[in-house]
Amino acid sequence: MRGAPTFRTAPLELTSAEAFTLMYGSIVRQLISDFEDISEVNKQLDQMGYNIGIRLIDEYLVKTRNARCNSFRETAEAIAKQALHMFLNFQATVAKWNLDETECSLIFYENPFSDFVELPDEYRELKFCNILCGVIRGALEMINVDVECAWLQDMLKGDDCNEVRLKLKEYRNENFPYKDDD
Amino acid sequence: MNQESHRNLNIVERPLIKQKPEKTVLSLSAFAYLYSELIQYNIDKSANTTELEERLDKVGYEIGLRINELLSCREKTLRRRTEILDILKFIHSTVWPAFFGKNADDLQQAAAAEDEYMISDYDMKFTKFISVPRSYGSFNPGALVAGIVRGVLDSAGFPARVSAHTVEDRERSRKPITTILVKFHSVVMTRQLYIEKVKKG
């Protein structure tokens, strides 16, 4: 019987977490001042996250020489326990699976993106840490796993925890740009 | 119960120091990705490299304002710095370690002008993974750090013009040195002269 996958990571160079938090806050502020519409800001954050994710997956795969994940469950565990810890120094727990095992929630209490942040009432619609959703979506898309990623609960808005819902859409086939007979 | 009381506290009443020391760091990669996205976003919004540097400087400025308050709050002696050398030493020995984990490598006064100072970093972590193509000319990705320094100086009461420059150095390994050039406003210089005059008695 196969045991649970062991997670080994090569240590990454470190920097101050506060610098990261302040930088992210400053970026969100710049986006808010550029766009009038808060939903535009949310979209932009998601897009930025997507751009980061498609490059981040390479680094993740190189630094952790994991075998291929056999199921979506393993993928979710890898994200929650290994990737989040490796890059952002915190871990999430995976919970609330649906019957098909195609949907789950990542639940975490500490969030380096929003450490010193208080969300005023006029920005109720703002998904402050939306970039994280984009990163997960982009990273998984590059390994042919299409997911939808959304925030269900946000501690900035007074909820008990941060909850990100992952929905598996499909596994895509590997597309090669060149045909064999050319 | 603890979590509930934590939530009900006003944000300015929450503790500043993180509870676990190992949580004060995270990966440089995360920061580098975020910075690269910031630059890419601003490239589309800017007409030229000067505007791009200005936008990055503004982002850094907000960081600098806040880091000054944060670091000053955590200091053991709450003393306001009124002299130029004091605030520059604060940047060299307190702000730099907060961001980069080490002191700034060099702090010099410019030979030509009395109101110009230079803070150098031999290997700036934030710009480690950035290469500037020739078409961008004199654009310096250290503009964010220049903004941070400007923010710290401004919130400490030392308005200045700050810019980032790259200096080639043949002595060290061929990595270019990033130098932050600080040019204080005349207000600061007159105040400094006055302070020195009072000190002399």
Side-chain angles (χ1 to χ4, degrees), chain A residues 13-19 26 29 31 34 51-52 55 59 87 89 115 118, chain B residues 18 22-29 33 36 41 59 62 74 98 125 128:
Chain A
E13 199 177 333
L14 297 171
T15 186
S16 153
E18 281 161 4
S26 212
R29 245 192 316 279
L31 286 177
D34 281 345
N51 292 339
I52 292 179
R55 296 186 299 150
E59 185 172 355
F87 288 106
N89 203 14
D115 261 335
E118 192 182 32
Chain B
K18 276 202 202 284
E22 65 264 16
K23 293 291 174 184
T24 57
V25 290
L26 42 78
S27 70
L28 181 61
S29 319
Y33 285 122
S36 108
Y41 168 77
V59 173
E62 308 240 353
R74 287 189 181 153
K125 267 195 189 176
K128 192 168 163 177

PDB file of all heavy atoms in Angstrom, chain A residues 13-19 26 29 31 34 51-52 55 59 87 89 115 118, chain B residues 18 22-29 33 36 41 59 62 74 98 125 128:
ATOM      1  N   GLU A  13      15.613  31.039  -1.359  1.00  0.00           N
ATOM      2  CA  GLU A  13      16.166  32.229  -0.723  1.00  0.00           C
ATOM      3  C   GLU A  13      15.023  33.026  -0.095  1.00  0.00           C
ATOM      4  O   GLU A  13      13.931  33.088  -0.635  1.00  0.00           O
ATOM      5  CB  GLU A  13      16.859  33.077  -1.788  1.00  0.00           C
ATOM      6  CG  GLU A  13      17.840  34.067  -1.212  1.00  0.00           C
ATOM      7  CD  GLU A  13      18.547  34.832  -2.314  1.00  0.00           C
ATOM      8  OE1 GLU A  13      18.664  34.273  -3.417  1.00  0.00           O
ATOM      9  OE2 GLU A  13      18.956  35.966  -2.052  1.00  0.00           O
ATOM     10  N   LEU A  14      15.291  33.628   1.053  1.00  0.00           N
ATOM     11  CA  LEU A  14      14.209  34.259   1.808  1.00  0.00           C
ATOM     12  C   LEU A  14      14.304  35.774   1.805  1.00  0.00           C
ATOM     13  O   LEU A  14      15.371  36.342   1.618  1.00  0.00           O
ATOM     14  CB  LEU A  14      14.251  33.779   3.268  1.00  0.00           C
ATOM     15  CG  LEU A  14      14.022  32.286   3.455  1.00  0.00           C
ATOM     16  CD1 LEU A  14      14.303  31.902   4.889  1.00  0.00           C
ATOM     17  CD2 LEU A  14      12.605  31.916   3.093  1.00  0.00           C
ATOM     18  N   THR A  15      13.163  36.416   2.008  1.00  0.00           N
ATOM     19  CA  THR A  15      13.151  37.859   2.186  1.00  0.00           C
ATOM     20  C   THR A  15      12.093  38.210   3.224  1.00  0.00           C
ATOM     21  O   THR A  15      11.327  37.352   3.643  1.00  0.00           O
ATOM     22  CB  THR A  15      12.867  38.560   0.848  1.00  0.00           C
ATOM     23  OG1 THR A  15      13.006  39.957   1.010  1.00  0.00           O
ATOM     24  CG2 THR A  15      11.454  38.287   0.397  1.00  0.00           C
ATOM     25  N   SER A  16      12.049  39.486   3.576  1.00  0.00           N
ATOM     26  CA  SER A  16      11.146  39.905   4.650  1.00  0.00           C
ATOM     27  C   SER A  16       9.684  39.763   4.245  1.00  0.00           C
ATOM     28  O   SER A  16       9.283  40.160   3.158  1.00  0.00           O
ATOM     29  CB  SER A  16      11.466  41.365   4.984  1.00  0.00           C
ATOM     30  OG  SER A  16      10.339  42.004   5.494  1.00  0.00           O
ATOM     31  N   ALA A  17       8.881  39.201   5.129  1.00  0.00           N
ATOM     32  CA  ALA A  17       7.456  39.034   4.843  1.00  0.00           C
ATOM     33  C   ALA A  17       6.744  40.371   4.890  1.00  0.00           C
ATOM     34  O   ALA A  17       5.777  40.604   4.161  1.00  0.00           O
ATOM     35  CB  ALA A  17       6.828  38.078   5.849  1.00  0.00           C
ATOM     36  N   GLU A  18       7.222  41.262   5.754  1.00  0.00           N
ATOM     37  CA  GLU A  18       6.570  42.577   5.844  1.00  0.00           C
ATOM     38  C   GLU A  18       6.766  43.372   4.566  1.00  0.00           C
ATOM     39  O   GLU A  18       5.867  44.088   4.124  1.00  0.00           O
ATOM     40  CB  GLU A  18       7.130  43.353   7.027  1.00  0.00           C
ATOM     41  CG  GLU A  18       6.529  42.889   8.339  1.00  0.00           C
ATOM     42  CD  GLU A  18       7.349  43.297   9.527  1.00  0.00           C
ATOM     43  OE1 GLU A  18       8.348  44.002   9.348  1.00  0.00           O
ATOM     44  OE2 GLU A  18       6.980  42.880  10.623  1.00  0.00           O
ATOM     45  N   ALA A  19       7.951  43.248   3.962  1.00  0.00           N
ATOM     46  CA  ALA A  19       8.188  43.929   2.692  1.00  0.00           C
ATOM     47  C   ALA A  19       7.168  43.461   1.676  1.00  0.00           C
ATOM     48  O   ALA A  19       6.592  44.249   0.930  1.00  0.00           O
ATOM     49  CB  ALA A  19       9.601  43.630   2.184  1.00  0.00           C
ATOM     50  N   SER A  26       0.502  48.163  -1.474  1.00  0.00           N
ATOM     51  CA  SER A  26       0.759  49.312  -2.325  1.00  0.00           C
ATOM     52  C   SER A  26       0.273  49.060  -3.754  1.00  0.00           C
ATOM     53  O   SER A  26      -0.259  49.955  -4.415  1.00  0.00           O
ATOM     54  CB  SER A  26       2.262  49.584  -2.329  1.00  0.00           C
ATOM     55  OG  SER A  26       2.530  50.941  -2.460  1.00  0.00           O
ATOM     56  N   ARG A  29      -3.439  49.376  -3.880  1.00  0.00           N
ATOM     57  CA  ARG A  29      -3.814  50.789  -3.836  1.00  0.00           C
ATOM     58  C   ARG A  29      -3.628  51.439  -5.200  1.00  0.00           C
ATOM     59  O   ARG A  29      -4.440  52.255  -5.631  1.00  0.00           O
ATOM     60  CB  ARG A  29      -2.964  51.526  -2.794  1.00  0.00           C
ATOM     61  CG  ARG A  29      -3.788  52.054  -1.638  1.00  0.00           C
ATOM     62  CD  ARG A  29      -2.979  53.003  -0.791  1.00  0.00           C
ATOM     63  NE  ARG A  29      -1.649  52.507  -0.531  1.00  0.00           N
ATOM     64  CZ  ARG A  29      -1.358  51.618   0.413  1.00  0.00           C
ATOM     65  NH1 ARG A  29      -2.305  51.152   1.187  1.00  0.00           N
ATOM     66  NH2 ARG A  29      -0.119  51.197   0.578  1.00  0.00           N
ATOM     67  N   LEU A  31      -3.795  49.955  -8.096  1.00  0.00           N
ATOM     68  CA  LEU A  31      -4.866  49.477  -8.975  1.00  0.00           C
ATOM     69  C   LEU A  31      -6.176  50.200  -8.700  1.00  0.00           C
ATOM     70  O   LEU A  31      -6.899  50.580  -9.618  1.00  0.00           O
ATOM     71  CB  LEU A  31      -5.065  47.972  -8.780  1.00  0.00           C
ATOM     72  CG  LEU A  31      -3.991  47.071  -9.384  1.00  0.00           C
ATOM     73  CD1 LEU A  31      -4.287  45.633  -9.046  1.00  0.00           C
ATOM     74  CD2 LEU A  31      -3.932  47.249 -10.881  1.00  0.00           C
ATOM     75  N   ASP A  34      -6.135  53.507 -10.218  1.00  0.00           N
ATOM     76  CA  ASP A  34      -6.178  53.499 -11.677  1.00  0.00           C
ATOM     77  C   ASP A  34      -7.560  53.194 -12.224  1.00  0.00           C
ATOM     78  O   ASP A  34      -7.988  53.755 -13.225  1.00  0.00           O
ATOM     79  CB  ASP A  34      -5.199  52.441 -12.228  1.00  0.00           C
ATOM     80  CG  ASP A  34      -3.762  52.930 -12.219  1.00  0.00           C
ATOM     81  OD1 ASP A  34      -3.561  54.151 -12.069  1.00  0.00           O
ATOM     82  OD2 ASP A  34      -2.862  52.102 -12.362  1.00  0.00           O
ATOM     83  N   ASN A  51      -0.701  35.451 -14.527  1.00  0.00           N
ATOM     84  CA  ASN A  51       0.627  35.615 -15.128  1.00  0.00           C
ATOM     85  C   ASN A  51       1.728  35.082 -14.223  1.00  0.00           C
ATOM     86  O   ASN A  51       2.721  34.531 -14.687  1.00  0.00           O
ATOM     87  CB  ASN A  51       0.901  37.092 -15.422  1.00  0.00           C
ATOM     88  CG  ASN A  51       0.011  37.622 -16.517  1.00  0.00           C
ATOM     89  OD1 ASN A  51      -0.515  36.863 -17.315  1.00  0.00           O
ATOM     90  ND2 ASN A  51      -0.170  38.933 -16.548  1.00  0.00           N
ATOM     91  N   ILE A  52       1.556  35.290 -12.927  1.00  0.00           N
ATOM     92  CA  ILE A  52       2.555  34.769 -11.990  1.00  0.00           C
ATOM     93  C   ILE A  52       2.490  33.248 -11.978  1.00  0.00           C
ATOM     94  O   ILE A  52       3.511  32.565 -12.027  1.00  0.00           O
ATOM     95  CB  ILE A  52       2.297  35.301 -10.564  1.00  0.00           C
ATOM     96  CG1 ILE A  52       2.566  36.797 -10.488  1.00  0.00           C
ATOM     97  CG2 ILE A  52       3.171  34.576  -9.551  1.00  0.00           C
ATOM     98  CD1 ILE A  52       2.315  37.389  -9.123  1.00  0.00           C
ATOM     99  N   ARG A  55       4.286  31.047 -14.558  1.00  0.00           N
ATOM    100  CA  ARG A  55       5.740  30.949 -14.433  1.00  0.00           C
ATOM    101  C   ARG A  55       6.147  30.246 -13.146  1.00  0.00           C
ATOM    102  O   ARG A  55       7.167  29.580 -13.071  1.00  0.00           O
ATOM    103  CB  ARG A  55       6.365  32.338 -14.499  1.00  0.00           C
ATOM    104  CG  ARG A  55       6.125  32.991 -15.850  1.00  0.00           C
ATOM    105  CD  ARG A  55       6.844  34.294 -15.987  1.00  0.00           C
ATOM    106  NE  ARG A  55       6.412  35.253 -15.013  1.00  0.00           N
ATOM    107  CZ  ARG A  55       7.193  36.214 -14.518  1.00  0.00           C
ATOM    108  NH1 ARG A  55       8.437  36.290 -14.891  1.00  0.00           N
ATOM    109  NH2 ARG A  55       6.730  37.062 -13.656  1.00  0.00           N
ATOM    110  N   GLU A  59       9.059  26.828 -11.430  1.00  0.00           N
ATOM    111  CA  GLU A  59       9.943  26.854 -10.275  1.00  0.00           C
ATOM    112  C   GLU A  59       9.515  25.802  -9.261  1.00  0.00           C
ATOM    113  O   GLU A  59      10.341  25.109  -8.672  1.00  0.00           O
ATOM    114  CB  GLU A  59       9.929  28.234  -9.631  1.00  0.00           C
ATOM    115  CG  GLU A  59      10.922  28.319  -8.496  1.00  0.00           C
ATOM    116  CD  GLU A  59      11.076  29.723  -7.960  1.00  0.00           C
ATOM    117  OE1 GLU A  59      10.485  30.646  -8.529  1.00  0.00           O
ATOM    118  OE2 GLU A  59      11.797  29.870  -6.967  1.00  0.00           O
ATOM    119  N   PHE A  87       6.431  28.971  -0.923  1.00  0.00           N
ATOM    120  CA  PHE A  87       6.510  30.333  -1.421  1.00  0.00           C
ATOM    121  C   PHE A  87       6.089  31.372  -0.403  1.00  0.00           C
ATOM    122  O   PHE A  87       6.667  32.445  -0.330  1.00  0.00           O
ATOM    123  CB  PHE A  87       5.644  30.484  -2.686  1.00  0.00           C
ATOM    124  CG  PHE A  87       6.235  29.802  -3.882  1.00  0.00           C
ATOM    125  CD1 PHE A  87       5.708  28.632  -4.374  1.00  0.00           C
ATOM    126  CD2 PHE A  87       7.349  30.341  -4.512  1.00  0.00           C
ATOM    127  CE1 PHE A  87       6.273  28.004  -5.472  1.00  0.00           C
ATOM    128  CE2 PHE A  87       7.915  29.718  -5.608  1.00  0.00           C
ATOM    129  CZ  PHE A  87       7.375  28.541  -6.090  1.00  0.00           C
ATOM    130  N   ASN A  89       5.242  30.665   3.033  1.00  0.00           N
ATOM    131  CA  ASN A  89       5.522  30.338   4.431  1.00  0.00           C
ATOM    132  C   ASN A  89       4.274  30.211   5.292  1.00  0.00           C
ATOM    133  O   ASN A  89       4.262  30.608   6.441  1.00  0.00           O
ATOM    134  CB  ASN A  89       6.465  31.393   5.037  1.00  0.00           C
ATOM    135  CG  ASN A  89       7.223  30.847   6.229  1.00  0.00           C
ATOM    136  OD1 ASN A  89       7.251  29.646   6.456  1.00  0.00           O
ATOM    137  ND2 ASN A  89       7.814  31.730   7.011  1.00  0.00           N
ATOM    138  N   ASP A 115      -1.728  41.217   6.109  1.00  0.00           N
ATOM    139  CA  ASP A 115      -1.364  41.298   7.518  1.00  0.00           C
ATOM    140  C   ASP A 115      -1.766  42.578   8.212  1.00  0.00           C
ATOM    141  O   ASP A 115      -2.302  42.560   9.288  1.00  0.00           O
ATOM    142  CB  ASP A 115       0.154  41.123   7.672  1.00  0.00           C
ATOM    143  CG  ASP A 115       0.496  39.715   8.054  1.00  0.00           C
ATOM    144  OD1 ASP A 115      -0.384  39.053   8.634  1.00  0.00           O
ATOM    145  OD2 ASP A 115       1.608  39.277   7.773  1.00  0.00           O
ATOM    146  N   GLU A 118      -6.905  46.666   6.848  1.00  0.00           N
ATOM    147  CA  GLU A 118      -8.294  46.768   7.277  1.00  0.00           C
ATOM    148  C   GLU A 118      -9.065  47.237   6.061  1.00  0.00           C
ATOM    149  O   GLU A 118      -8.662  48.181   5.388  1.00  0.00           O
ATOM    150  CB  GLU A 118      -8.387  47.813   8.393  1.00  0.00           C
ATOM    151  CG  GLU A 118      -9.717  47.795   9.123  1.00  0.00           C
ATOM    152  CD  GLU A 118      -9.782  48.869  10.187  1.00  0.00           C
ATOM    153  OE1 GLU A 118      -9.171  49.931   9.994  1.00  0.00           O
ATOM    154  OE2 GLU A 118     -10.443  48.659  11.198  1.00  0.00           O
TER     155      GLU A 118
ATOM    156  N   LYS B  18       5.057  40.050  15.129  1.00  0.00           N
ATOM    157  CA  LYS B  18       4.486  38.744  14.819  1.00  0.00           C
ATOM    158  C   LYS B  18       4.793  37.785  15.964  1.00  0.00           C
ATOM    159  O   LYS B  18       5.835  37.827  16.570  1.00  0.00           O
ATOM    160  CB  LYS B  18       5.097  38.222  13.529  1.00  0.00           C
ATOM    161  CG  LYS B  18       4.418  38.738  12.309  1.00  0.00           C
ATOM    162  CD  LYS B  18       4.694  37.809  11.167  1.00  0.00           C
ATOM    163  CE  LYS B  18       4.521  38.476   9.844  1.00  0.00           C
ATOM    164  NZ  LYS B  18       3.160  38.651   9.467  1.00  0.00           N
ATOM    165  N   GLU B  22       9.620  32.697  13.006  1.00  0.00           N
ATOM    166  CA  GLU B  22       9.868  32.096  11.684  1.00  0.00           C
ATOM    167  C   GLU B  22       8.887  32.602  10.635  1.00  0.00           C
ATOM    168  O   GLU B  22       9.050  32.362   9.457  1.00  0.00           O
ATOM    169  CB  GLU B  22       9.798  30.569  11.748  1.00  0.00           C
ATOM    170  CG  GLU B  22       8.435  30.002  12.093  1.00  0.00           C
ATOM    171  CD  GLU B  22       8.324  29.692  13.567  1.00  0.00           C
ATOM    172  OE1 GLU B  22       9.163  30.199  14.315  1.00  0.00           O
ATOM    173  OE2 GLU B  22       7.413  28.972  13.951  1.00  0.00           O
ATOM    174  N   LYS B  23       7.845  33.345  11.081  1.00  0.00           N
ATOM    175  CA  LYS B  23       6.886  33.841  10.110  1.00  0.00           C
ATOM    176  C   LYS B  23       7.273  35.198   9.537  1.00  0.00           C
ATOM    177  O   LYS B  23       6.519  35.784   8.794  1.00  0.00           O
ATOM    178  CB  LYS B  23       5.492  33.966  10.768  1.00  0.00           C
ATOM    179  CG  LYS B  23       4.887  32.652  11.131  1.00  0.00           C
ATOM    180  CD  LYS B  23       4.504  31.883   9.896  1.00  0.00           C
ATOM    181  CE  LYS B  23       4.032  30.508  10.260  1.00  0.00           C
ATOM    182  NZ  LYS B  23       3.742  29.675   9.114  1.00  0.00           N
ATOM    183  N   THR B  24       8.442  35.715   9.933  1.00  0.00           N
ATOM    184  CA  THR B  24       8.809  37.037   9.437  1.00  0.00           C
ATOM    185  C   THR B  24       9.471  36.968   8.076  1.00  0.00           C
ATOM    186  O   THR B  24       9.883  37.974   7.533  1.00  0.00           O
ATOM    187  CB  THR B  24       9.779  37.741  10.406  1.00  0.00           C
ATOM    188  OG1 THR B  24      10.911  36.891  10.565  1.00  0.00           O
ATOM    189  CG2 THR B  24       9.119  37.992  11.728  1.00  0.00           C
ATOM    190  N   VAL B  25       9.598  35.756   7.536  1.00  0.00           N
ATOM    191  CA  VAL B  25      10.212  35.648   6.217  1.00  0.00           C
ATOM    192  C   VAL B  25       9.301  34.874   5.294  1.00  0.00           C
ATOM    193  O   VAL B  25       8.445  34.109   5.724  1.00  0.00           O
ATOM    194  CB  VAL B  25      11.574  34.918   6.269  1.00  0.00           C
ATOM    195  CG1 VAL B  25      12.608  35.771   6.957  1.00  0.00           C
ATOM    196  CG2 VAL B  25      11.441  33.573   6.953  1.00  0.00           C
ATOM    197  N   LEU B  26       9.485  35.127   3.996  1.00  0.00           N
ATOM    198  CA  LEU B  26       8.929  34.224   3.005  1.00  0.00           C
ATOM    199  C   LEU B  26       9.853  34.244   1.802  1.00  0.00           C
ATOM    200  O   LEU B  26      10.862  34.928   1.805  1.00  0.00           O
ATOM    201  CB  LEU B  26       7.479  34.578   2.659  1.00  0.00           C
ATOM    202  CG  LEU B  26       7.038  36.006   2.460  1.00  0.00           C
ATOM    203  CD1 LEU B  26       7.448  36.523   1.114  1.00  0.00           C
ATOM    204  CD2 LEU B  26       5.536  36.074   2.568  1.00  0.00           C
ATOM    205  N   SER B  27       9.494  33.511   0.764  1.00  0.00           N
ATOM    206  CA  SER B  27      10.482  33.287  -0.284  1.00  0.00           C
ATOM    207  C   SER B  27      10.700  34.537  -1.114  1.00  0.00           C
ATOM    208  O   SER B  27       9.777  35.299  -1.388  1.00  0.00           O
ATOM    209  CB  SER B  27      10.030  32.147  -1.188  1.00  0.00           C
ATOM    210  OG  SER B  27       8.932  32.574  -1.939  1.00  0.00           O
ATOM    211  N   LEU B  28      11.942  34.715  -1.530  1.00  0.00           N
ATOM    212  CA  LEU B  28      12.276  35.836  -2.405  1.00  0.00           C
ATOM    213  C   LEU B  28      11.562  35.683  -3.744  1.00  0.00           C
ATOM    214  O   LEU B  28      11.213  36.670  -4.394  1.00  0.00           O
ATOM    215  CB  LEU B  28      13.795  35.878  -2.617  1.00  0.00           C
ATOM    216  CG  LEU B  28      14.323  37.000  -3.500  1.00  0.00           C
ATOM    217  CD1 LEU B  28      13.991  38.350  -2.920  1.00  0.00           C
ATOM    218  CD2 LEU B  28      15.821  36.876  -3.670  1.00  0.00           C
ATOM    219  N   SER B  29      11.325  34.424  -4.150  1.00  0.00           N
ATOM    220  CA  SER B  29      10.631  34.198  -5.420  1.00  0.00           C
ATOM    221  C   SER B  29       9.271  34.852  -5.427  1.00  0.00           C
ATOM    222  O   SER B  29       8.884  35.474  -6.416  1.00  0.00           O
ATOM    223  CB  SER B  29      10.436  32.715  -5.694  1.00  0.00           C
ATOM    224  OG  SER B  29      11.547  31.992  -5.345  1.00  0.00           O
ATOM    225  N   TYR B  33       8.223  37.583  -8.194  1.00  0.00           N
ATOM    226  CA  TYR B  33       7.086  37.445  -9.105  1.00  0.00           C
ATOM    227  C   TYR B  33       6.155  38.644  -8.996  1.00  0.00           C
ATOM    228  O   TYR B  33       5.691  39.190  -9.992  1.00  0.00           O
ATOM    229  CB  TYR B  33       6.270  36.184  -8.785  1.00  0.00           C
ATOM    230  CG  TYR B  33       6.904  34.885  -9.224  1.00  0.00           C
ATOM    231  CD1 TYR B  33       7.170  33.889  -8.307  1.00  0.00           C
ATOM    232  CD2 TYR B  33       7.220  34.657 -10.564  1.00  0.00           C
ATOM    233  CE1 TYR B  33       7.740  32.700  -8.699  1.00  0.00           C
ATOM    234  CE2 TYR B  33       7.788  33.460 -10.960  1.00  0.00           C
ATOM    235  CZ  TYR B  33       8.050  32.483 -10.019  1.00  0.00           C
ATOM    236  OH  TYR B  33       8.623  31.306 -10.395  1.00  0.00           O
ATOM    237  N   SER B  36       7.682  41.661 -10.567  1.00  0.00           N
ATOM    238  CA  SER B  36       7.679  41.584 -12.018  1.00  0.00           C
ATOM    239  C   SER B  36       6.285  41.871 -12.569  1.00  0.00           C
ATOM    240  O   SER B  36       6.133  42.553 -13.580  1.00  0.00           O
ATOM    241  CB  SER B  36       8.197  40.220 -12.491  1.00  0.00           C
ATOM    242  OG  SER B  36       7.169  39.435 -13.007  1.00  0.00           O
ATOM    243  N   TYR B  41       2.527  45.422 -15.369  1.00  0.00           N
ATOM    244  CA  TYR B  41       1.284  46.189 -15.358  1.00  0.00           C
ATOM    245  C   TYR B  41       1.553  47.645 -15.671  1.00  0.00           C
ATOM    246  O   TYR B  41       0.852  48.281 -16.450  1.00  0.00           O
ATOM    247  CB  TYR B  41       0.613  46.046 -13.992  1.00  0.00           C
ATOM    248  CG  TYR B  41      -0.524  47.014 -13.767  1.00  0.00           C
ATOM    249  CD1 TYR B  41      -1.753  46.803 -14.355  1.00  0.00           C
ATOM    250  CD2 TYR B  41      -0.357  48.158 -12.993  1.00  0.00           C
ATOM    251  CE1 TYR B  41      -2.794  47.700 -14.167  1.00  0.00           C
ATOM    252  CE2 TYR B  41      -1.391  49.053 -12.800  1.00  0.00           C
ATOM    253  CZ  TYR B  41      -2.600  48.818 -13.381  1.00  0.00           C
ATOM    254  OH  TYR B  41      -3.621  49.707 -13.201  1.00  0.00           O
ATOM    255  N   VAL B  59       4.692  53.668  -5.840  1.00  0.00           N
ATOM    256  CA  VAL B  59       4.378  52.445  -5.090  1.00  0.00           C
ATOM    257  C   VAL B  59       5.351  52.300  -3.928  1.00  0.00           C
ATOM    258  O   VAL B  59       4.971  52.007  -2.791  1.00  0.00           O
ATOM    259  CB  VAL B  59       4.442  51.211  -6.021  1.00  0.00           C
ATOM    260  CG1 VAL B  59       4.302  49.941  -5.239  1.00  0.00           C
ATOM    261  CG2 VAL B  59       3.359  51.287  -7.075  1.00  0.00           C
ATOM    262  N   GLU B  62       4.677  54.674  -0.861  1.00  0.00           N
ATOM    263  CA  GLU B  62       3.692  54.239   0.130  1.00  0.00           C
ATOM    264  C   GLU B  62       4.277  53.206   1.081  1.00  0.00           C
ATOM    265  O   GLU B  62       3.941  53.160   2.264  1.00  0.00           O
ATOM    266  CB  GLU B  62       2.479  53.633  -0.588  1.00  0.00           C
ATOM    267  CG  GLU B  62       1.905  54.524  -1.648  1.00  0.00           C
ATOM    268  CD  GLU B  62       0.477  54.873  -1.380  1.00  0.00           C
ATOM    269  OE1 GLU B  62      -0.085  54.319  -0.439  1.00  0.00           O
ATOM    270  OE2 GLU B  62      -0.054  55.710  -2.117  1.00  0.00           O
ATOM    271  N   ARG B  74       8.835  50.014  16.717  1.00  0.00           N
ATOM    272  CA  ARG B  74       9.446  48.863  17.352  1.00  0.00           C
ATOM    273  C   ARG B  74      10.750  49.209  18.034  1.00  0.00           C
ATOM    274  O   ARG B  74      11.315  48.386  18.754  1.00  0.00           O
ATOM    275  CB  ARG B  74       9.734  47.796  16.300  1.00  0.00           C
ATOM    276  CG  ARG B  74       8.504  47.138  15.839  1.00  0.00           C
ATOM    277  CD  ARG B  74       8.858  45.979  14.978  1.00  0.00           C
ATOM    278  NE  ARG B  74       7.662  45.337  14.513  1.00  0.00           N
ATOM    279  CZ  ARG B  74       7.559  44.660  13.404  1.00  0.00           C
ATOM    280  NH1 ARG B  74       8.605  44.558  12.638  1.00  0.00           N
ATOM    281  NH2 ARG B  74       6.435  44.099  13.054  1.00  0.00           N
ATOM    282  N   ALA B  98      15.559  45.488   7.482  1.00  0.00           N
ATOM    283  CA  ALA B  98      14.148  45.085   7.491  1.00  0.00           C
ATOM    284  C   ALA B  98      13.730  44.549   6.139  1.00  0.00           C
ATOM    285  O   ALA B  98      12.878  43.675   6.032  1.00  0.00           O
ATOM    286  CB  ALA B  98      13.278  46.269   7.892  1.00  0.00           C
ATOM    287  N   LYS B 125      18.670  42.585  -3.755  1.00  0.00           N
ATOM    288  CA  LYS B 125      17.868  41.364  -3.852  1.00  0.00           C
ATOM    289  C   LYS B 125      16.652  41.537  -4.734  1.00  0.00           C
ATOM    290  O   LYS B 125      16.289  40.653  -5.495  1.00  0.00           O
ATOM    291  CB  LYS B 125      17.387  40.964  -2.452  1.00  0.00           C
ATOM    292  CG  LYS B 125      18.272  40.002  -1.741  1.00  0.00           C
ATOM    293  CD  LYS B 125      17.513  39.423  -0.576  1.00  0.00           C
ATOM    294  CE  LYS B 125      18.412  38.608   0.306  1.00  0.00           C
ATOM    295  NZ  LYS B 125      17.698  38.119   1.491  1.00  0.00           N
ATOM    296  N   LYS B 128      17.318  41.268  -8.441  1.00  0.00           N
ATOM    297  CA  LYS B 128      18.246  40.200  -8.821  1.00  0.00           C
ATOM    298  C   LYS B 128      17.820  39.503 -10.112  1.00  0.00           C
ATOM    299  O   LYS B 128      18.648  39.128 -10.931  1.00  0.00           O
ATOM    300  CB  LYS B 128      18.243  39.182  -7.681  1.00  0.00           C
ATOM    301  CG  LYS B 128      19.313  38.164  -7.732  1.00  0.00           C
ATOM    302  CD  LYS B 128      19.351  37.441  -6.401  1.00  0.00           C
ATOM    303  CE  LYS B 128      20.113  36.150  -6.564  1.00  0.00           C
ATOM    304  NZ  LYS B 128      20.248  35.439  -5.316  1.00  0.00           N
TER     305      LYS B 128
END
